[in-house]
Amino acid sequence: MNAADWLLAALGVVALGAAWRVVTTTHLVRAGLHLVLCLASVAGMFLVLTAELLAWVQVLIYVGAVVVLLLFAVMLTRAPIGPSDDLDRAGPAAVLVGGGAGLGLAALLIDAYRWSSVPLPQAGDATRLGEQLFRSWVLPFELVSVLLLAALVGAIVVSRPVGERG
């Protein structure tokens, strides 16, 4: 194993640890911050794999926008910020459902690839990706941005007291 393999394994351990803390903490804001750490370590894995464009997209979209939107939603809806023991946590059922989903996904992947090697496609670059994104996928890209804007405006309207709406 070389240094890149060790770094990839270390970032994977950090991502798994942070993901575990996201689903096990009772503090909602800390869960959001652990999510930032998990997503940032995934971006670091993309950098180790020399996929710089994916790393920056991960940082800008997921770490920058999604987590900030999550924290704004928590603040705007006046959800409890401190630790909360009244969260619904069905431990055995969650382990059963999660384990079943993981085993099903593993069986699906093993059946689909049957331990064979898959030929890699021709390497692309940011120019080709940009051409595809802004020629073929511009309408879905813009629809998602309008949907996120509508969700943010809806969160602001819902968070206002009833007497101020109108």
Side-chain angles (χ1 to χ4, degrees):
M1 287 181 59
N2 57 16
D5 293 336
W6 284 105
L7 186 57
L8 197 62
L11 286 169
V13 168
V14 169
L16 287 175
W20 178 258
R21 289 296 298 155
V22 168
V23 297
T24 58
T25 186
T26 59
H27 199 283
L28 193 58
V29 174
R30 288 184 185 164
L33 295 176
H34 288 299
L35 184 62
V36 168
L37 180 63
C38 179
L39 295 173
S41 62
V42 171
M45 286 190 259
F46 283 139
L47 282 176
V48 172
L49 295 171
T50 66
E52 293 88 5
L53 180 66
L54 285 177
W56 285 113
V57 166
Q58 176 83 12
V59 169
L60 291 174
I61 302 293
Y62 289 108
V63 176
V66 172
V67 174
V68 168
L69 186 64
L70 172 79
L71 293 176
F72 270 117
V74 167
M75 288 186 290
L76 287 173
T77 57
R78 294 184 184 89
I81 293 177
S84 178
D85 291 330
D86 63 344
L87 295 175
D88 188 20
R89 299 198 183 263
V95 169
L96 183 67
V97 170
L103 287 174
L105 182 61
L108 179 72
L109 288 175
I110 289 170
D111 183 56
Y113 292 108
R114 300 209 186 272
W115 302 108
S116 62
S117 62
V118 177
L120 294 175
Q122 184 181 10
D125 58 354
T127 305
R128 199 168 87 186
L129 178 67
E131 287 174 357
Q132 286 294 317
L133 181 64
F134 292 115
R135 284 192 183 147
S136 303
W137 295 94
V138 69
L139 182 62
F141 187 75
E142 291 299 323
L143 286 175
V144 166
S145 67
V146 170
L147 178 68
L148 288 174
L149 177 65
L152 186 59
V153 169
I156 291 171
V157 169
V158 167
S159 69
R160 292 172 53 194
V162 177
E164 293 181 18
R165 294 181 192 166

